[in-house]
């Protein structure tokens, strides 16, 4: 019996040490599992890809829709959009703002960036034209037949985007010069009473508030606004005076995701992309 009393405590002590050891291993394993998971999660978070797309303010609807398709085709990829006047965006790029893809409403800004080494090439992906709009009650009684006369009328409050800062403004000023060829002195008359806004997107609130009698925007913007319930009248501009806007796309040299950029471009120029552009009032390239 004495021998047995010596063995039992020894066995009990060994079992305690064994259980304690297994518990220690379990908690160490648990700790490593959670810390390892956290490390892996942080690695994936650190490596998450976000494309930065800067685009003209006429493009939010079609480009966001195309972007949603792109994200479904590339799980884990996010897109950060910046929609403003293309001239403002060009300036941001020149000042060092991060950007992967630049979608401008003209060729000029792409050319300027190309000369400065920000990009190697660009392509036209869609066209658009200008149209006029009035508040729903149309206080100045503007019609398609009297549009040119109303543009020259100093009593009609006219709002356009700013030339040099926004391509829509440049296209509008080009239209005024075409009108001037037919009606000498018209350019000065029109521009003398024009309110310059930083981009075309700002014209709509001015029209709806009644602070302008007439505004000039892209056709696509006006059709989009009309579809969304905006209380405006759209007045077509005769083709002989109108100008054609060229929307261009480029991949910035600073981009770290050239393969994804090219994939986005392929989608933009694909049948899917063209269908979306057409739905939102643009004329995609053939």
């Amino acid at each position: 019996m004495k021998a047995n009393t010596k063995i039992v405590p020894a066995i009990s002590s060994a079992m305690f040490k064994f259980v304690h050891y297994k518990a220690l291993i379990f908690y160490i394993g648990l700790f490593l599992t959670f810390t390892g998971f956290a490390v892996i999660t942080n690695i994936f978070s650190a490596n998450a890809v976000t494309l930065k797309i800067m685009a003209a303010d006429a493009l939010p609807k079609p480009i966001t829709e195309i972007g949603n398709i792109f994200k479904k085709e590339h799980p884990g990829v996010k897109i950060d959009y910046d929609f403003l006047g293309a001239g403002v965006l060009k300036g941001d790029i020149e000042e060092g703002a991060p950007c992967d893809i630049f979608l401008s409403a003209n060729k000029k800004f792409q050319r300027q960036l190309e000369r400065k080494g920000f990009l190697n090439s660009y392509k036209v992906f869609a066209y658009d034209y200008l149209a006029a709009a009035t508040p729903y009650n149309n206080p100045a009684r503007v019609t398609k037949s009297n549009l040119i006369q109303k543009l020259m009328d100093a009593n009609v409050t006219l709002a356009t985007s700013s030339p040099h800062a926004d391509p829509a403004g440049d296209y509008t000023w080009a239209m005024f010069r075409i009108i001037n060829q037919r009606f000498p002195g018209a350019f000065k008359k029109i521009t003398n009473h024009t309110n310059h806004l930083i981009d075309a997107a700002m014209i709509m609130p001015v029209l709806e508030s009644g602070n302008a009698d007439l505004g000039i925007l892209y056709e696509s913007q006006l059709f989009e606004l009309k579809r969304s319930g905006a209380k405006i009248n759209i007045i077509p501009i005769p083709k002989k005076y109108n100008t054609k806007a060229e929307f261009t796309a480029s991949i910035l040299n600073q981009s770290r995701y050239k393969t994804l950029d090219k994939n986005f471009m392929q989608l933009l120029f694909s049948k899917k992309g063209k269908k979306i552009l057409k739905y939102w009032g643009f004329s995609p390239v053939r």
Side-chain angles (χ1 to χ4, degrees), residues 33-55:
T33 298
F34 280 103
T35 55
F37 177 76
V39 169
I40 291 170
T41 301
N42 288 335
I43 289 171
F44 276 105
S45 297
N47 294 332
V49 173
T50 300
L51 288 184
K52 177 71 175 182
I53 296 179
M54 289 188 173

Side-chain angles (χ1 to χ4, degrees), residues 8 13 18 46-47 51 88 107 113 133 137 145 175 189 195 198 234 252 256 276 286:
V8 171
S13 176
F18 177 73
N47 294 332
L51 288 184
V88 177
K107 290 180 178 179
L113 289 173
N137 62 347
S145 60
M175 180 185 71
K189 288 180 181 178
N195 295 318
I198 194 167
I234 299 175
L252 276 291
R256 297 175 296 163
I276 292 169
R286 295 181 178 179

Side-chain angles (χ1 to χ4, degrees), residues 66-105:
I66 290 170
N68 289 338
I69 294 173
F70 182 80
K71 287 187 288 185
K72 287 180 181 178
E73 294 177 351
H74 299 79
V77 175
K78 297 180 180 179
I79 301 178
D80 182 17
Y81 301 102
D82 200 352
F83 295 106
L84 281 172
V88 177
L89 296 174
K90 180 188 78 79
D92 290 343
I93 292 170
E94 290 173 328
E95 290 175 6
C99 180
D100 298 298
I101 294 172
F102 177 44
L103 305 176
S104 180

Side-chain angles (χ1 to χ4, degrees), residues 125-250:
F125 66 90
Y127 302 103
D128 201 354
Y129 291 88
L130 297 174
T134 71
Y136 190 72
N137 62 347
N138 195 2
R141 301 292 182 265
V142 182
T143 65
K144 184 178 179 180
S145 60
N146 69 15
L147 175 62
I148 304 304
Q149 285 69 35
K150 292 293 183 180
L151 285 171
M152 292 187 286
D153 187 345
N155 295 315
V156 175
T157 309
L158 175 63
T160 74
S161 58
S162 297
H164 309 301
D166 183 31
D170 293 328
Y171 294 126
T172 302
W173 252 238
M175 180 185 71
F176 295 160
R177 289 188 177 93
I178 295 172
I179 294 171
N180 191 73
Q181 293 172 8
R182 179 76 180 271
F183 303 96
F187 181 83
K188 187 175 181 179
K189 288 180 181 178
I190 296 170
T191 55
N192 277 349
H193 73 102
T194 300
N195 295 318
H196 304 174
L197 303 176
I198 194 167
D199 58 55
M202 297 179 68
I203 296 172
M204 197 60 242
V206 174
L207 280 175
E208 287 194 308
S209 66
N211 290 320
D213 298 318
L214 185 61
I216 308 294
L217 295 90
Y218 293 118
E219 281 185 353
S220 61
Q221 285 179 308
L222 289 171
F223 290 137
E224 175 192 329
L225 290 164
K226 190 79 172 178
R227 190 185 290 127
S228 64
K231 295 180 179 180
I232 56 171
N233 302 300
I234 299 175
I235 301 172
I237 295 172
K239 288 184 178 180
K240 60 184 177 182
Y241 303 123
N242 213 330
T243 52
K244 183 167 71 171
E246 295 179 309
F247 286 79
T248 55
S250 64

